[in-house]
Amino acid sequence: MKNIYFSVRGTSNFSPPQTYLFNKIVETSKNIFKLFGYEEIILPILEEEAVFVRSVGQATDIIEKQMFKVTRNRPDLDSKMQIVLRPEGTAQVIRYYIENSLYKKSDFYKFCYFGPMFRGEKPQKGRLRQFHHIGAEAIGSYSEFLDAEVIFLSLEILDALGIKQKSLHLNSLGCGLDKEKFKELLKKEILPYKDKLCIDCQRRMEKNPLRIFDCKEENCQSICEKFSSITSQQYLCKTCHSHFKNLVDILKDNFGIQPFVDFRLVRGLDYYTNTIFEINSPFLGSQNALGGGGRYNNLVEELGGPKVGAVGFALGLERIMLLLEKIDILKTIDVFIATTNDTLIKEAVKLLISLRKENISSDIDYCKKSLKGQLRYAEKKNVNFVIILGEEELKENKVILKDMKRSLQEKVNIDNIIPLLKSKLKNV
Ligand code: AMP
C-alpha cells in the first residue's frame, strides 16, 4: 500500500455544491460593492512581515504566534526581508495605497477585495488556518457618514445572502490619545491581578491590555468582569464623543439600523481608532463573528503615508458558508436531460447544445444509468427541471418536461421547450 496524503490541518477542500455556494457569496458581494461604488483590487498573498507588525501590533495573537513565515529552498538567495502569508487585508491595502502614492492622484478611494488569509490558529469549526475575507476599505475621509455606509454595506451583503438574523455590536476606542489614556488606566487597575491572568494576558498587559478583554480563559474573563465599569467611552475626547454619537444617530435615522452599543467590544488590533464594530450570528456557536471592522485614522501615516482618515471591514467567507449550508439554495445546474434508453444519447446531446447556447445551465448522463438512476442523480443535484427523451414521444416530436420542485410533468413539443423553460426558470 502506498502512502496517501492529507490536507494541511485547518485548510478546506471545496467541491460542489460548496464551490457553487462560495462563488455565489463572492458574486453577490461584488454586485453590492459595485452598487456602493467600491472598486476591486487583487493583492498578493505574500507580504513583508513588517507591514503587519507595524500596523496590527506586536502584542496581538496574529503577530505573536499566528503568522506563517515563508522560506525558500535557497535561503542564500533571500534578502533579509521576512516574507509572510498575509493574515489580513487592511494593512496590505494601505501598503498598496502608499506604495503607489495614490493620495497624490485622488483624495478619496473605495476599495474591495476577496481572497485567502492565513493565521496559525488552533483549528476548530469556523476557525481555520486558511480562510477567505471579503473586505472593503474607504480611505480619505473622517466623515461619520462613511462609517455608517461601511457598516450598512457589510450588513447589506449579509442580507442579500439571506442572513437575516445577526446583531451589530458597536463601540468607540477614541483617537490615539483617548486610547492611550484608557489603556493606561486599565493597566493600573488590572496590575494587582496580574499573577492570576493567563501567561498570554500577563504579556498583553504591558503592551496591549485591551486584548485581555478578548481572552477566552475563564480566569481572565472574571478579572475583566471586575472592571466592567471602566469603558473606553469614558475616555473619549469631545470630538471623538460627538463622532460616535453622530454615527449612532445616522445609523438610526438614515439607515434604519439600531446598533447594540457594546462597551466591552475592543477589537484589540493596534490600528483601530474611534469606531469599531462586529457582526455576530446566533447560529455559529463560539466562533460567532461573521465579520468586523472599524476606523483606523492613524494607520496610513504610521505606514509612511499622509494623515488621512479611513474605515473598513472584513467578512469571513467560511463562516457565511457555514450558515448558508443550512439553507437549501445549493444547485449546480437548472436542467437535466434524461433518456429512457441510452441509444438516445445523440438526441440528448443535440438538445443539450441548444440549451447551453441559450444560457440554460444543463447536463446529461454519461454513465448509461437507467431512467430511475438518472432521475435520482438529478434530484441529488437539486435541479429544477428534467427533460425526458423517450422513443415514443420523439416520434411525435415531443419530450416530457418534469418540474422537480412541484412534482408535475407535461408533454411539450420539442420546438417549444427552450422558450417554455426560459419563462419557467424566471420564476424559480
Ligand atoms: P478579523 O480580521 O479577525 O476581524 O476577521 C474578520 C472575520 O474573518 C471574522 O469575523 C471571521 O468571520 C473571519 N475569520 C477571522 N479569523 C478566522 C479564522 N481563523 N477562520 C475562519 N474565519 C476567520
Side-chain angles (χ1 to χ4, degrees), residues 121-172:
E121 302 200 65
K122 198 167 169 214
Q124 65 178 82
K125 198 169 177 199
R127 198 208 274 164
L128 296 150
R129 289 181 169 169
Q130 176 175 338
F131 58 98
H132 294 77
H133 267 170
I134 298 168
E137 315 293 341
I139 311 163
S141 163
Y142 293 93
S143 168
E144 300 90 337
F145 284 93
L146 187 62
D147 301 43
E149 176 184 275
V150 161
I151 293 171
F152 182 65
L153 169 60
S154 58
L155 292 168
E156 276 290 285
I157 292 175
L158 295 171
D159 258 0
L161 289 165
I163 298 172
K164 303 290 174 206
Q165 269 180 284
K166 52 195 174 299
S167 54
L168 168 67
H169 292 236
L170 185 70
N171 197 9
S172 174

Side-chain angles (χ1 to χ4, degrees), residues 21 50 72 100 105 165 295 308 316 335 340 342 356 388:
L21 187 54
R72 281 202 297 175
N100 293 287
K105 297 173 193 149
Q165 269 180 284
R295 250 191 190 279
V308 289
V335 178
T340 52
D342 65 52
R356 287 178 180 167
I388 304 174

Side-chain angles (χ1 to χ4, degrees), residues 22-184:
F22 185 105
N23 291 331
K24 185 190 160 90
I25 295 168
V26 173
E27 282 313 309
T28 306
S29 314
K30 281 189 180 175
N31 289 338
I32 298 196
F33 280 134
K34 200 161 166 232
L35 193 65
F36 281 67
Y38 286 72
E39 293 181 298
E40 184 178 354
I41 49 175
I42 302 175
L43 300 182
I45 284 164
L46 300 181
E47 194 70 45
E48 187 176 348
E49 181 186 33
V51 169
F52 303 107
V53 176
R54 289 256 306 276
S55 53
V56 172
Q58 191 71 58
T60 55
D61 288 353
I62 293 181
I63 302 302
E64 275 183 344
K65 46 189 180 187
Q66 293 176 353
M67 277 209 286
F68 286 101
K69 303 198 174 179
V70 177
T71 53
R72 281 202 297 175
N73 281 345
R74 295 285 310 270
D76 53 313
L77 289 184
D78 273 335
S79 67
K80 293 255 172 320
M81 186 195 284
Q82 180 65 60
I83 308 289
V84 294
L85 302 182
R86 62 180 182 190
E88 61 108 56
T90 304
Q92 182 180 47
V93 172
I94 300 306
R95 184 272 301 150
Y96 158 77
Y97 169 84
I98 298 168
E99 179 181 0
N100 293 287
S101 305
L102 295 187
Y103 48 87
K104 290 186 184 156
K105 297 173 193 149
S106 166
D107 57 2
F108 187 63
Y109 286 90
K110 282 174 163 185
F111 293 123
C112 65
Y113 55 90
F114 307 85
M117 302 293 159
F118 303 83
R119 295 181 195 171
E121 302 200 65
K122 198 167 169 214
Q124 65 178 82
K125 198 169 177 199
R127 198 208 274 164
L128 296 150
R129 289 181 169 169
Q130 176 175 338
F131 58 98
H132 294 77
H133 267 170
I134 298 168
E137 315 293 341
I139 311 163
S141 163
Y142 293 93
S143 168
E144 300 90 337
F145 284 93
L146 187 62
D147 301 43
E149 176 184 275
V150 161
I151 293 171
F152 182 65
L153 169 60
S154 58
L155 292 168
E156 276 290 285
I157 292 175
L158 295 171
D159 258 0
L161 289 165
I163 298 172
K164 303 290 174 206
Q165 269 180 284
K166 52 195 174 299
S167 54
L168 168 67
H169 292 236
L170 185 70
N171 197 9
S172 174
L173 294 171
C175 56
L177 280 177
D178 300 347
K179 208 170 145 181
E180 272 317 306
K181 276 191 230 154
F182 176 49
K183 280 205 268 192
E184 278 313 308

